[in-house]
Amino acid sequence: LIHPWIGCGECSICKSGQENHCAKPRTLGVYRDGGYQEYVLVPHAMFLVDIGDVDPSEATPFACSGVTVYSALRKAQPVLDDEWLVIMGAGGIGLAAV
């Protein structure tokens, strides 16, 4: 599985590990070929995720919507035991959060 949100790799944002916020992105399938390819080159192994025995048809949505919801949930932290976290919407991303 490939994490598609690849940044320039040179700026301070990329060097802090937040490539998805890069001002000069190299996102696969948007700024670089590879969104629907059988094979694709990535600039670094850190963009590869070992899915182990998970069926690829179940794992692949997490490269996009899964990363989006994960990022949103991380930004909502910390949520204390006596607090509520409201998730708006019940589409693909909202359901992944639930």
Side-chain angles (χ1 to χ4, degrees):
L1 185 67
I2 300 171
H3 175 80
W5 311 112
I6 299 174
C8 71
E10 302 295 326
C11 68
S12 61
I13 293 171
C14 286
K15 290 180 179 180
S16 73
Q18 296 184 352
E19 293 87 359
N20 57 315
H21 294 289
C22 180
K24 297 179 184 175
R26 297 183 296 160
T27 307
L28 294 176
V30 179
Y31 298 103
R32 296 176 62 157
D33 290 341
Y36 294 102
Q37 302 301 316
E38 186 174 350
Y39 300 99
V40 63
L41 293 174
V42 294
H44 194 279
M46 71 181 185
F47 298 109
L48 302 175
V49 179
D50 182 4
I51 62 171
D53 295 330
V54 177
D55 182 335
S57 67
E58 294 179 16
T60 52
F62 293 112
C64 185
S65 62
V67 172
T68 301
V69 73
Y70 177 75
S71 176
L73 291 173
R74 280 188 55 207
K75 291 174 185 169
Q77 298 298 323
V79 178
L80 303 177
D81 290 342
D82 61 343
E83 294 181 319
W84 287 75
L85 175 64
V86 176
I87 298 172
M88 304 299 290
I93 293 176
L95 289 175
V98 175

